[in-house]
Amino acid sequence: MAPHTTLRAALLLTAFALPLSAQQAPRVTKDGPARPAAQPPRTSGLDRSKPPTLPPTPQLRVPVIETRTLSNGITVAVLENHEIPVVNVRALMDAPAVLDPQGKEGVAALTFAMLSEGTKTRTAEQLADAFAELGTTVSPTGFLTITKNVDPALELMRDQLWEPSFPQAALDRIRANQVANLRRLKDQPTYLAGRVLANALYGTGHPYERSTSEASLGAITRDDLVAFHSTYVRPQNVKFVVAGDITPAQAMEKLERVFGKWPAGGQKARYEVPAPTPLAQTTIYLFDRPSSTQSVIYAASTGPRRDVPEYYALDLANTVLGGSFLSRLNSNLRETHGYAYGAGSGFTYRRRPEIGQFTASAQVQTDKTDSSVVEIMNELRGIAGGRPVTQAEFDLAMSNAVKGLPLAFETVSQIAGAATTILQDSLPLDYYSTISQKYEAVTVADVNAAAKRYIDPGKLAIVIVGDRKQIEQKLRALNVAPVVVVDEQAKPLPASGGGSGR
Amino acid sequence: MSSPLPPRARWPRTRRPLAALAPAALALTALVALPGAARAQAGAASARVAAPRIPHTKFTLPNGLTVVTHEDHSAPVATVSVHYKVGSKHEKPGRTGFAHLFEHIMFEGSQNVPEGSFDKYLESAGANNNGTTDNDRTLYYESMPSNALETALWLESDRLGFLLPTLDQKKLDGQRDIVKNERRLRVDNQPFGSRFEVVSAAIYPAGHPYSWPVIGSMRDLSDATLDDVKDFFRTYYTPNNTVLVVAGDIDPAKVRQQVTRYFGDIPRGPALTRPKIAPVTLAAEKRLVLEDSKARLPQIAFTWPSVGIRSNDDAPLTALSRVLTQDRTSRLTKLLVYDRQLATNVGAFQGSNEDVGEFTINVTPRPGASLTEIERLVDSVVTGLVAAPPTAAEVERYKNFFAVSTITGLQSVFGKATTLGESELYFGDPEHFRKDLTDALAVTPADVHRVARQYLSKGRIVLSMVPAGQLTLVSKPDLPYVNVTPKPAVQ
């Protein structure tokens, strides 16, 4: 998986509500406005040939993030917004899958799935009954509920996080279901492409390649989950976000009451991510999925950390290349050639400032797989210096980045998401207030320099999942890069060929 | 990983308001505060809230365009949504997929907006935009910082009023290729991707407006001509067939002036006579089999013809679906996923369109589980509800979830705009969505029992989906079935 996390995808906030008393609630009738309508203007004199002038962008209203600390040291971020009577609470647990023991991939995910399967005081059915009473499913790591139900929802969250009972029968059931889901995932071309790509880019066994398999699920015992829980699901690895119809004082009082006595212990989530061996040259990894009517194409390399100085320049470069509808990749593969329903690109910045990833992607009709590879490579060479970003492209990307900010600050869930980004990526609390200036400090030369530095068309892993019978020879004939027919581990198949890798 | 781009066009197969509206509680006492409305006290029970209001104004221009505005200054954003009363059910035989193909063409420029500029104006203003097509309607929208409102009105009015002058064969051909790739992405390259269209084709008689898929067939997409585009535009893309909603950080009086200015001189189109489309019933069970070489595990789905959004039975059918699969204690989920552990997942839903609906149960089996055994168990649960009503607790259980999702679903200006627009489009009342809530609140165990008897004891479609060549996996393989596996698509 290489989710596209562009900046704006992670940008989520809502403006502070005006006090409701200041809002006029118009009287409504079924038939029309209660007030007499304004004089309808004459339509003559309308010049349709020019767009209307754009009035000044409205003042950006960024929510205030209050951070406080519970008596046991847990950080709490509160974002007050009384627009509607809902509250979103999130427990940001730092207990990622990277911590899974070798050969037991899936422990972290299975541990969190098991938290809802019963606690010291409630069976799974009793938890479900409690959720139904609230009208809100309370996951161990969060809920969105109406204001008056915050207390009971917090209590259910506490119960699951703090005192799960890990019934063996539930583990067996969930494990069997996860095995079934894995088998179904292997019918999905994007899942297959993601697996091959992780192996090609990082190498088998690397923290960013390891993923749940039937074998690893089979190796996991109840003791593994209990150990993972008691080690990592601890106050020192959690931060809370509370957003919506609640004051910081109320939020702190409630959280202190529910989580203030959560016993310390366990250890911080620490792990090392070694730098993978860089690819010597661009290589096409072909995975056979017979009778595919489209090919999934991922062209990828490792990428920079979240804290690179060129972060904003790179985001604008990506907007031009593949981060928007008008981007070069989408314009080329979709609008100009009609090879695909869409094409795009993105930089992934992982939770910690570790190794990131750059991925360009498209799903293209089978008979245009080779042509699409040519076009994708053209665009990557272009952005890397062959066709530098123009002033017009730069202006559009900049304008979109800065002017689109108000849309990110609307709902309670968006606000909570914004605080989540800040806490997880260790950004300053005033991050969203300063973001416009950070963009505006970037020049077109900065954008081109960043693209050149971080996008290297000569060192890409190009993964293609499609109907080998129809595409292999044409791909070889391109002479763009060596073509290797591989299995899911990105290992070459025996030359006898014919193996489908499935 | 999916493309980072928002899809241009989805087609929801169900007609739930986009904001996932759902029933609230029994006592309609309080008003729920939404921006622009008065705050109110919450009810007594833990999740009991009343149907929210979305304060609005409504007026109609002389050319028939219906306009709804909603004022909400809580964030400096606005949404324009344009709802056209045309969907795949209005297509001509041999032109399936046309309404959606046309939707794509609407983004390709108009008399005063050169090709490519539509998105450029909006992207540079920081706005999002998209369109979606389903069986009944086509929706276009812009979500933007509120200063871009007039730009959006100018763009929408230009394509409603002046699309044809710049239309050419190249635009049609270009979008045709893209839509074919959209079909490959969503249908042809997905395991059992044609599952929905084979069921529609079996439930409805040949030529019935709901019998073909919104995305259409490759052959029909190939056959679409420029004349088709022009006819479709002149017939359906008219002010009198359209609802325009403007919501958010706006001044309604000013919006009224702007809308009048931009849309007022677009001529009224022909009056449309709408043929009455009645729900269907199946006299007997139809057993279908779909094979797919791209799938390695089987699935099974059961579909009964039901009713559309205008029927009083829509709400009790929704309640019935939740009694079956709301959570782990619900009848079907408990039996198949928890007690017998034959399935990883079970879903039941009442999917209602404007005129017709379908009640569907989907089961995702565990590897090795027998479809025949799963069918037997599904039937035992369904038969139980045909024979006797559910308990009051079962019916009440789901209402709390609906109550809460009602509130949370109306947080965004976009959610409120599309809810108002769809309510107006189908019922001529922007606040009709509130009646959906009251209807749902009124559902009793006897109602659920009645609709189970009425709809789930008649003919249905049983669709076994198996990996290619593994016909031994079909449910009840001794019963006669029709193999509906599509031939490789004509590209």
Side-chain angles (χ1 to χ4, degrees):
Chain A
M1 278 299 288
H4 282 281
T5 32
T6 60
L7 175 71
R8 274 177 311 287
L11 237 191
L12 308 153
L13 282 224
T14 202
F16 247 40
L18 297 170
L20 280 149
S21 55
Q23 294 183 17
Q24 280 285 306
R27 198 164 54 80
V28 175
T29 67
K30 271 185 59 170
D31 309 317
R35 289 172 290 190
Q39 194 70 26
R42 286 165 300 142
T43 57
S44 59
L46 172 62
D47 177 8
R48 290 186 178 273
S49 67
K50 292 186 195 65
T53 38
L54 201 61
T57 305
Q59 182 64 41
L60 186 61
R61 283 175 278 166
V62 176
V64 178
I65 304 179
E66 288 253 3
T67 55
R68 307 209 180 166
T69 310
L70 298 183
S71 59
N72 55 357
I74 299 178
T75 300
V76 181
V78 188
L79 302 93
E80 197 176 351
N81 181 316
H82 300 284
E83 232 178 85
I84 64 169
V86 302
V87 176
N88 184 198
V89 175
R90 300 181 184 193
L92 312 181
M93 287 296 323
D94 191 12
V98 176
L99 298 167
D100 288 343
Q102 199 82 35
K104 295 193 171 187
E105 289 77 16
V107 162
L110 211 42
T111 300
F112 281 97
M114 285 290 289
L115 301 184
S116 308
E117 292 293 331
T119 69
K120 286 194 177 135
T121 54
R122 290 181 179 92
T123 64
E125 289 72 23
Q126 287 169 323
L127 282 172
D129 288 345
F131 302 159
E133 196 165 317
L134 300 182
T136 307
T137 297
V138 178
S139 98
T141 51
F143 58 82
L144 175 68
T145 189
I146 48 180
T147 308
K148 62 183 174 143
N149 286 342
V150 170
D151 285 335
L154 277 174
E155 174 55 37
L156 292 166
M157 200 166 147
R158 183 207 75 87
D159 208 17
Q160 296 174 74
L161 275 177
W162 190 341
E163 298 185 322
S165 57
F166 294 107
Q168 180 70 44
L171 168 58
D172 295 341
R173 188 193 72 246
I174 293 176
R175 184 207 324 261
N177 286 346
Q178 289 195 352
V179 166
N181 293 338
L182 263 179
R183 288 200 199 160
R184 284 188 195 276
L185 272 175
K186 290 181 187 237
D187 292 339
Q188 290 293 339
T190 48
Y191 171 80
L192 295 166
R195 293 302 307 133
V196 176
L197 179 61
N199 281 278
L201 213 49
Y202 300 102
T204 306
H206 185 276
Y208 289 159
E209 177 281 317
R210 292 199 294 135
S211 85
T212 307
S213 68
E214 292 190 32
S216 72
L217 284 170
I220 294 169
T221 66
R222 180 177 181 277
D223 288 348
D224 295 322
L225 307 186
V226 171
F228 189 90
H229 176 261
S230 67
T231 307
Y232 296 115
V233 185
R234 292 295 199 146
Q236 61 177 320
N237 291 324
V238 74
K239 290 172 180 163
F240 285 109
V241 171
V242 181
D245 184 25
I246 191 165
T247 65
Q250 288 169 323
M252 290 309 291
E253 182 271 319
K254 290 178 194 300
L255 284 167
E256 182 63 47
R257 191 158 26 85
V258 178
F259 285 102
K261 294 193 178 58
W262 194 357
Q267 48 184 269
K268 286 295 278 182
R270 286 198 185 84
Y271 53 90
E272 292 297 314
V273 180
T277 317
L279 295 168
Q281 59 169 341
T282 293
T283 304
I284 294 175
Y285 300 86
L286 173 57
F287 184 92
D288 187 20
R289 182 174 179 264
S291 73
S292 290
T293 58
Q294 283 186 330
S295 302
V296 175
I297 304 176
Y298 288 171
S301 63
T302 54
R305 297 155 44 133
R306 173 61 184 82
D307 55 359
V308 283
E310 300 99 327
Y311 176 84
Y312 298 94
L314 211 46
D315 184 65
L316 294 171
N318 183 65
T319 301
V320 173
L321 172 66
S324 70
F325 190 82
L326 293 171
S327 68
R328 291 178 177 190
L329 279 167
N330 197 59
S331 299
N332 180 334
L333 274 89
R334 173 184 160 122
E335 293 298 322
T336 303
H337 288 108
Y339 297 161
Y341 177 53
S345 65
F347 284 88
T348 304
Y349 303 94
R350 291 185 169 88
R351 172 86 51 91
R352 294 214 169 97
E354 307 280 0
I355 297 146
Q357 188 173 315
F358 165 77
T359 315
S361 66
Q363 296 186 52
V364 305
Q365 63 192 74
T366 297
D367 61 343
K368 300 294 184 193
T369 305
D370 55 332
S371 313
S372 298
V373 169
V374 169
E375 295 304 334
I376 290 171
M377 289 304 290
N378 284 343
E379 295 302 349
L380 295 180
R381 287 193 199 101
I383 201 83
R387 235 173 3 109
V389 172
T390 64
Q391 188 66 41
E393 286 177 310
F394 171 82
D395 291 344
L396 180 62
M398 176 69 78
S399 181
N400 182 261
V402 174
K403 291 181 179 167
L405 287 171
L407 288 179
F409 306 156
E410 200 189 349
T411 67
V412 164
S413 305
Q414 285 179 304
I415 299 178
T420 300
T421 301
I422 285 174
L423 292 181
Q424 288 189 332
D425 293 348
S426 309
L427 298 166
L429 288 183
D430 67 351
Y431 173 68
Y432 292 109
S433 312
T434 61
I435 205 169
S436 295
Q437 293 102 293
K438 293 228 165 76
Y439 272 113
E440 282 158 355
V442 174
T443 67
V444 69
D446 297 336
V447 168
N448 283 313
K452 199 185 197 91
R453 180 167 177 190
Y454 292 106
I455 299 173
D456 183 350
K459 293 204 170 36
L460 296 168
I462 302 179
V463 172
I464 301 180
V465 174
D467 189 346
R468 176 184 177 182
K469 213 167 51 246
Q470 295 187 64
I471 62 181
E472 183 183 0
Q473 290 317 318
K474 288 163 90 179
L475 285 169
R476 290 189 188 281
L478 284 181
N479 285 320
V480 162
V483 177
V484 193
V485 182
V486 296
D487 63 12
E488 210 183 286
Q489 269 73 49
K491 305 243 183 324
L493 290 178
S496 60
S500 74
R502 299 186 59 185
Chain B
M1 179 176 69
S2 59
S3 159
L5 301 168
R8 167 146 296 169
R10 290 168 304 129
W11 48 92
R13 285 190 41 87
T14 59
R15 162 53 35 51
R16 288 264 145 252
L18 296 181
L21 289 172
L26 284 172
L28 284 173
T29 49
L31 268 187
V32 167
L34 285 170
R39 285 300 293 279
Q41 296 301 307
S46 59
R48 293 307 159 93
V49 292
R53 300 201 88 102
I54 310 176
H56 63 276
T57 61
K58 174 180 152 181
F59 60 93
T60 304
L61 295 182
N63 61 8
L65 180 73
T66 302
V67 185
V68 180
T69 62
H70 163 67
E71 192 176 0
D72 168 12
H73 299 288
S74 54
V77 300
T79 290
V80 168
S81 63
V82 192
H83 307 249
Y84 292 94
K85 202 156 186 193
V86 59
S88 62
K89 74 179 179 194
H90 301 98
E91 290 157 358
K92 295 178 191 145
R95 290 292 183 274
T96 65
F98 192 82
H100 168 247
L101 175 61
F102 184 91
E103 179 224 303
H104 275 244
I105 290 165
M106 282 283 277
F107 291 89
E108 294 306 298
S110 47
Q111 182 167 314
N112 301 290
V113 182
E115 193 172 354
S117 296
F118 186 92
D119 283 291
K120 209 166 278 182
Y121 286 121
L122 291 168
E123 277 195 18
S124 65
N128 302 323
N129 81 91
N130 210 337
T132 115
T133 307
D134 70 12
N135 306 76
D136 304 308
R137 62 98 184 106
T138 311
L139 164 67
Y140 302 83
Y141 62 86
E142 291 81 31
S143 284
M144 63 212 128
S146 50
N147 64 316
L149 175 62
E150 196 179 351
T151 303
L153 294 174
W154 171 68
L155 289 167
E156 289 290 4
S157 68
D158 207 63
R159 62 181 176 180
L160 169 57
F162 310 92
L163 183 81
L164 297 185
T166 60
L167 178 73
D168 59 24
Q169 188 67 38
K170 197 166 151 287
K171 283 184 184 178
L172 170 60
D173 292 342
Q175 294 309 306
R176 189 195 331 259
D177 287 345
I178 294 166
V179 170
K180 283 183 172 183
N181 272 313
E182 189 175 356
R183 183 185 158 94
R184 289 183 191 107
L185 184 78
R186 297 179 191 276
V187 178
D188 302 329
N189 207 35
Q190 283 292 318
F192 306 126
S194 58
R195 59 188 298 180
F196 301 108
E197 57 195 57
V198 300
V199 168
S200 299
I203 283 192
Y204 300 102
H208 188 283
Y210 285 93
S211 65
W212 55 80
V214 176
I215 189 77
S217 72
M218 287 292 193
R219 174 182 304 249
D220 288 0
L221 289 168
S222 297
D223 288 347
T225 68
L226 265 187
D227 279 342
D228 291 325
V229 177
K230 290 173 184 162
D231 290 348
F232 201 80
F233 178 77
R234 290 179 181 130
T235 308
Y236 296 110
Y237 278 72
T238 64
N240 44 303
N241 196 38
T242 306
V243 173
L244 171 72
V245 185
V246 183
D249 178 29
I250 60 158
D251 171 355
K254 197 170 161 195
V255 166
R256 187 175 180 133
Q257 287 184 14
Q258 289 173 325
V259 167
T260 306
R261 189 169 146 83
Y262 282 105
F263 291 86
D265 60 357
I266 298 172
R268 177 184 283 271
L272 290 168
T273 51
R274 299 195 171 271
K276 189 103 186 76
I277 304 172
V280 298
T281 54
L282 287 172
E285 179 176 89
K286 287 190 187 176
R287 305 187 67 82
L288 311 179
V289 170
L290 183 61
E291 296 179 74
D292 193 340
S293 63
K294 293 185 294 297
R296 278 169 296 181
L297 289 173
Q299 294 188 60
I300 187 163
F302 308 83
T303 309
W304 291 261
S306 66
V307 296
I309 55 175
R310 297 185 193 289
S311 166
N312 290 333
D313 291 342
D314 190 22
L317 281 160
T318 300
L320 171 60
S321 75
R322 306 328 294 149
V323 165
L324 291 171
T325 60
Q326 173 74 51
D327 62 16
R328 67 192 295 155
T329 69
S330 308
R331 291 189 184 202
L332 204 52
T333 306
K334 183 173 188 304
L335 181 64
L336 287 172
V337 179
Y338 290 88
D339 295 351
R340 297 293 307 277
Q341 300 193 16
L342 293 171
T344 58
N345 208 311
V346 183
F349 55 94
Q350 154 67 6
S352 36
N353 289 99
E354 185 178 16
D355 309 297
V356 301
E358 294 146 27
F359 190 93
T360 301
I361 295 174
N362 290 315
V363 183
T364 308
R366 276 208 197 164
S370 142
L371 297 191
T372 303
E373 177 66 359
I374 286 170
E375 179 172 349
R376 199 182 61 74
L377 293 168
V378 167
D379 283 348
S380 72
V381 171
V382 170
T383 308
L385 284 162
V386 169
T391 65
E394 283 175 289
V395 177
E396 288 302 304
R397 190 178 180 94
Y398 85 100
K399 293 181 183 176
N400 285 347
F401 286 107
F402 276 178
V404 173
S405 65
T406 298
I407 309 298
T408 55
L410 291 177
Q411 282 188 72
S412 70
V413 163
F414 171 82
K416 289 187 290 184
T418 50
T419 297
L420 289 168
E422 301 247 317
S423 287
E424 172 61 30
L425 192 73
Y426 294 116
F427 298 97
D429 172 12
E431 283 218 328
H432 184 273
F433 72 92
R434 304 183 76 236
K435 180 175 180 300
D436 289 347
L437 297 179
T438 23
D439 286 354
L441 300 183
V443 171
T444 65
D447 292 329
V448 175
H449 184 211
R450 176 176 54 79
V451 295
R453 270 203 321 265
Q454 186 170 342
Y455 299 100
L456 268 54
S457 58
K458 292 204 180 78
R460 65 174 175 183
I461 307 292
V462 179
L463 174 67
S464 294
M465 293 164 266
V466 299
Q470 298 187 32
L471 291 170
T472 52
L473 297 180
V474 165
S475 178
K476 301 190 180 176
D478 300 341
L479 293 178
Y481 60 76
V482 181
N483 192 320
V484 292
T485 306
K487 309 229 174 340
V490 182
Q491 301 295 313

